[in-house]
Structure formats: C-alpha cells, structure tokens
C-alpha cells in the first residue's frame, strides 16, 4: 500500500523554465511533508518542508504547495537550472515521526 | 562539522552470508534511521533508533536487525542474505525525533551474488 505516490518517474524541463514535481498521499494523518533531492552516488539532501497548517512555503527558487483537501503537494522550481537535474523524493510523516517516502521523480534539465 | 559516515561504501557478498553495516551520525545527533533503496522503489524504511532504543520498525523480515550504541553510532545486520537484498543502504541522522530534516550518509552499496 503506497501511502505516498510520485506518479511521474521522470520529467524533462528546459533550462530557465518552471519545473513542477507532484506528490499524492492517502493518509490524512500526515501532518508534515518534505522534499529531498538526490544526486547519483550521494545520499538524499533536504530541500524544503511544509507543515499541514500551511498551504505554501517558499525558499529561494523552491516553493512547495500543499492542497490538503486533494491530498496533493507539489514542488515548483523557478527558474530551473542544470544543477537541479537529480531525483526528487517526496516524504510525509505523522505523529509517530516515521517518514514515508515516494518512489522519486528524476528531473532532467535540458540546456 | 563532519557529515554522516557509512562504512563500508561497497561490498559484495554471496547468498546465505551475513553482513554488518556501520553508521556514524553527525556529532550531537541522537536519532539514526536506516533505509533501503532499490531502483524504482524509493526509500524503504528499515528502522529508527533514538537513545539506544528502536523506536520504529519498517516492514522487513527478522533477518534485518540493528542497534545503536551509547555514542549514537549505529549498526545494521542482515543475516542469510538473499539476492533481493542487493540495494543501497542509507543511514540518516537527526538531532532528535520528529524534526523532519534528516541528514543522509552516502550509503553502503551491497551486492549479493
């Protein structure tokens, strides 16, 4: 039972344009959501997070939107840069602190 | 400040053998979590340790076990290895539980032949 789903295995975006990565969840008890970025041969690194009491959180070029009624969150990267090419993981947690992870979306930024 | 250190980085084992992986968290971090990553499967949670106690456990068979020492260093062990155990095993540390932001090591790549 996949509680956190990233339905797009990969996404290709032109440099300078907006990248939108999507994530859906099924467990209404999740109250904290995070995005991580992973380069090959490295561990994931934290990118941005959002609490369920908010619907938007922004950090530089990265913005995460949360739609609780749709159980959907998205990560927007504007403008996309070549260094953004990586695998992006969405993760969610409830009160037991255990993070549940999506399968990841590979983002490819084309020059 | 040194990051999360995992050893060994790469190892090859044969079916039926056992393996022990080590993780040294960032200094001062007391929570250590372990994940298994296989292609197309994302990160599968193995277990979480805090103050030498296992606080959470994922849906893995009993062949997978772990422990945490008083200095917060952690080890995980897989016994009776199977081909399907081939994966990247990632360790992550955080200051305390529930902070959300995990700091990952580079992982231990296990190949089972």
């Amino acid at each position: 039972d996949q509680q956190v789903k990233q339905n797009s295995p990969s996404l290709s975006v032109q440099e300078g344009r907006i990248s939108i990565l999507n994530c859906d969840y099924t467990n209404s008890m999740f109250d904290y959501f995070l995005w991580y970025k992973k380069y090959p041969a490295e561990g994931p690194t934290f990118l941005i997070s959002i609490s369920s009491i908010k619907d938007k959180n922004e950090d530089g070029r990265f913005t995460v939107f949360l739609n609780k009624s749709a159980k959907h969150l998205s990560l927007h990267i504007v403008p996309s840069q070549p260094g953004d090419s990586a695998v992006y993981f969405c993760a969610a947690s409830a009160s037991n602190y255990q993070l549940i992870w999506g399968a990841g979306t590979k983002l490819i930024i084309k020059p | 400040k040194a990051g999360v250190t995992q050893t060994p980085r790469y190892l090859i084992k044969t079916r039926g053998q056992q393996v022990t992986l080590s993780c040294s968290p960032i200094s001062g971090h007391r929570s250590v979590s372990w994940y298994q990553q296989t292609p197309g499967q994302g990160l599968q949670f193995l277990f979480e340790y805090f103050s030498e106690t296992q606080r959470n456990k994922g849906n893995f068979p009993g062949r997978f076990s772990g422990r945490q020492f008083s200095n917060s260093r952690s080890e995980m062990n897989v016994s009776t290895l199977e081909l399907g155990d081939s994966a990247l095993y990632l360790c992550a540390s955080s200051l305390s539980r529930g902070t959300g932001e995990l700091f990952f090591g580079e992982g231990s790549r296990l190949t089972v032949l």
Side-chain angles (χ1 to χ4, degrees):
Chain A
D1 174 31
Q2 273 190 301
Q3 297 186 64
V4 177
K5 298 178 187 178
Q6 292 178 258
N7 292 317
S8 299
S10 67
L11 175 68
S12 187
V13 174
Q14 202 74 35
E15 181 181 355
R17 306 293 289 269
I18 182 171
S19 294
I20 300 177
L21 296 102
N22 294 305
C23 178
D24 297 295
Y25 61 95
T26 57
N27 189 341
S28 57
M29 298 302 291
F30 288 147
D31 56 8
Y32 192 61
F33 304 87
L34 307 93
W35 285 94
Y36 280 77
K37 175 179 174 180
K38 185 180 185 302
Y39 293 118
E42 294 184 12
T45 54
F46 171 76
L47 201 54
I48 193 168
S49 63
I50 188 167
S51 160
S52 60
I53 62 173
K54 293 185 170 183
D55 53 20
K56 177 183 173 181
N57 189 25
E58 197 170 347
D59 184 3
R61 296 185 299 114
F62 303 91
T63 303
V64 56
F65 295 91
L66 175 62
N67 182 334
K68 288 185 287 295
S69 60
K71 295 192 178 68
H72 175 84
L73 65 157
S74 61
L75 174 68
H76 292 211
I77 306 173
V78 183
S80 300
Q81 299 174 353
D84 296 331
S85 294
V87 177
Y88 289 78
F89 290 99
C90 165
S93 73
S95 57
N96 68 350
Y97 305 144
Q98 181 178 331
L99 278 179
I100 307 298
W101 296 73
T105 296
K106 183 175 183 178
L107 177 64
I108 301 163
I109 305 301
K110 300 179 293 187
Chain B
K1 174 157 126 170
V4 177
T5 304
Q6 290 188 246
T7 57
R9 290 291 314 280
Y10 303 93
L11 65 167
I12 298 173
K13 293 283 187 178
T14 56
R15 278 181 298 175
Q17 287 187 309
Q18 68 94 24
V19 66
T20 299
L21 308 177
S22 179
C23 172
S24 293
I26 291 172
S27 177
H29 284 196
R30 297 171 60 197
S31 175
V32 173
S33 302
W34 287 90
Y35 293 86
Q36 182 196 65
Q37 185 187 14
T38 52
Q41 291 294 314
L43 277 70
Q44 304 295 316
F45 173 76
L46 281 155
F47 16 70
E48 178 211 355
Y49 287 89
F50 182 78
S51 293
E52 301 177 66
T53 303
Q54 188 179 91
R55 304 293 177 149
N56 267 316
K57 189 177 192 303
N59 190 25
F60 278 81
R63 300 185 296 107
F64 292 80
S65 62
R67 57 178 175 168
Q68 186 181 34
F69 302 96
S70 58
N71 62 357
S72 294
R73 191 177 71 83
S74 177
E75 288 182 347
M76 67 162 281
N77 185 78
V78 188
S79 61
T80 321
L81 284 166
E82 301 176 359
L83 294 178
D85 297 333
S86 295
L88 179 67
Y89 290 87
L90 290 161
C91 168
S93 75
S94 61
L95 269 173
S96 61
R97 306 188 70 213
T99 59
E101 185 178 348
L102 303 177
F103 294 83
F104 284 84
E106 293 180 313
S108 293
R109 170 77 61 185
L110 170 66
T111 301
V112 182
L113 303 176

